[in-house]
Amino acid sequence: MATKQRVRSKNNSNISDVSKGLVLEALFSSIDTSKTGVITSVQFWNELKKRGILSDDPRLSDVKDAFDKACIGSKKGIDFSLFCETIKHALLVHKTLRGELCIPDFSGFCDEITDIFKEVKSNVNGNVANYIPQLARVNPKYFAVSICTIDGQRFSHGDTNTSFCLQSTCKPINYCIAHEELGEEKVHQHIGREPSGRSFNEMALNSDGLPHNPLINSGAIMCSSLIRRNIPIADRFDEVIKTWTELSGDVEPTFNNSVYLSEKQTADRNFALAYFMRENKAFPENTNLIETLEFYFQCCSIEVKSDSMASAAATLANGGVNPLTGKKVFSDGTAKNCLSLMNSCGMYDFSGEYAFKIGFPAKSGVSGALLIVIPNVMGICIWSPKLDELGNSVRGVEFSKKLGERFSFHNYDSLINNSEKKDPRRHKYESKMDNVINLIYAASCGDIDEIKRIEAKGVDLNVSDYDGRTALHLAASEGQFEVVDYLIKRKVNVNAKDRWGGTPLKDAKKSNHVDICNKIEKYLSK
Ligand code: GLN
């Protein structure tokens, strides 16, 4: 909080060392609750975990190394000055401990998720999919839930160490891959975007002779024919694996060969659909049908754990940028189109009811997986293999209902005044302003990775705070040479003026950062 006011304050144009010290001191004492003057690595990671940030978070690998190093030889833990040194560049740690992530009361939220989990667990209705023998053998008792917010706060509960195959949850992602490469128009020359009103493998095409949408079998087979058509099939499969790795925050998925073989052997309907589409000239010219079908079955047989699927869902919730790595996996336009389709067609023949009653985009698969997106908030994965007659996970649907009853996550809940539902997220305006504040703060403390992550979200690096101070102003006055160098390379406005008419060059001169003055002057003279 103190830092925020500092950035906005009128008469103090820099985040001073004093104020930074105060913030760090407050953070330190929030961990050192028993006032021993030191904190251990276990205490530190526990505090972060309570707020949803886990020790395997790829954004914190440097902090983890630094912490481990600092703790060597000091069983008791590290003191305040070592703590400051260790986390000084890690904006994520600061934000986490200050309660400034997407869901501030994360542990309270997780308690509610666990509550829902318990309630839903008693529902043992439904049957595992039996049309693919290998799926029929899965333990029907499995039940897992994972969540990942757009700030990378994570929580998993239940059978989260067991992998399951994607089945139809591969469909939205394959659509995104094709969309990313070919664009909306080209993709939809071959696939419609209307709900079919029929079951997922119905022999039916729309009045143009095309599959109704990419999220039922016919449309997914079509998408498979569109993905990277000009490279060998093995490379096309690698492309899908690479995408899932990125969506999962750098965790590579596995492949279940027996599901693939079993699926291929029992695929009469999918073959029939493909021939039916070929008869209607729906495929691009020179499509190899067998190869396309096999590719589709392979994508269905990719396996992930629930936390990876939640991270993939969170990437869609975050406009295509993975929250854990900051990597832009899909453009925001691709994510938007995918979510629109998930909203109208993601739950097979239950899509209309799901959109009406529950009201957030989701995609189910016959493995019992359910990939849910709460746009701008989080991704959720629920996995429970028993299905209803429509092919959706029984517990997945019940979980969604309960989630929608407790929290204002329905697309149009924002219209309801005096809603009884809870809203766990930070205020929208506040989080927009956060981007600006975080960028400027990251520039002042030299956290280039964080700057890149904010940039990947589409934030203009020229934005300024209330005082007209830009990231470059702060980097220049705080002596952050590498940040200055990066911002100049990214072509920000080097002559930006703050409300007192100050430029980054003036700031660098005032604080006597000679290397930065030289850098800026050299750039300006060009
Ligand atoms: N592999 C399955 C099929 O094509 C996927 C269907 C699904 O998950 N609904 O039959």
Side-chain angles (χ1 to χ4, degrees), residues 46-153:
N46 274 345
E47 283 310 306
L48 293 191
K49 188 177 172 193
K50 273 192 229 158
R51 294 157 174 87
I53 299 301
L54 307 184
S55 58
D56 65 351
D57 194 308
R59 297 168 293 178
L60 292 184
S61 58
D62 287 350
V63 173
K64 195 165 168 32
D65 291 347
F67 228 98
D68 288 348
K69 217 167 114 199
C71 285
I72 290 176
S74 60
K75 267 201 213 99
K76 282 189 286 166
I78 63 175
D79 63 12
F80 179 60
S81 74
L82 206 46
F83 172 78
C84 294
E85 193 51 34
T86 312
I87 68 156
K88 88 177 162 209
H89 294 308
L91 182 58
L92 177 61
V93 174
H94 295 224
K95 279 172 65 184
T96 306
L97 296 175
R98 292 200 304 254
E100 287 173 5
L101 301 183
C102 172
I103 308 275
D105 178 16
F106 193 70
S107 63
F109 181 71
C110 295
D111 289 347
E112 304 234 21
I113 294 289
T114 313
D115 253 19
I116 299 179
F117 184 95
K118 279 191 204 136
E119 287 171 20
V120 172
K121 197 169 180 186
S122 60
N123 187 340
V124 292
N125 295 333
N127 294 298
V128 293
N130 56 11
Y131 74 107
I132 300 171
Q134 236 64 22
L135 287 184
R137 288 180 209 154
V138 172
N139 180 351
K141 290 190 179 147
Y142 280 136
F143 188 20
V145 59
S146 287
I147 59 185
C148 176
T149 72
I150 56 165
D151 281 331
Q153 294 167 283

Side-chain angles (χ1 to χ4, degrees), residues 15 44 103 139 155 181 215 237 312 401-402 525:
I15 297 172
F44 176 69
I103 308 275
N139 180 351
F155 174 70
E181 183 192 350
L215 303 185
F237 183 71
K401 280 187 189 154
K402 291 191 185 285
S525 69

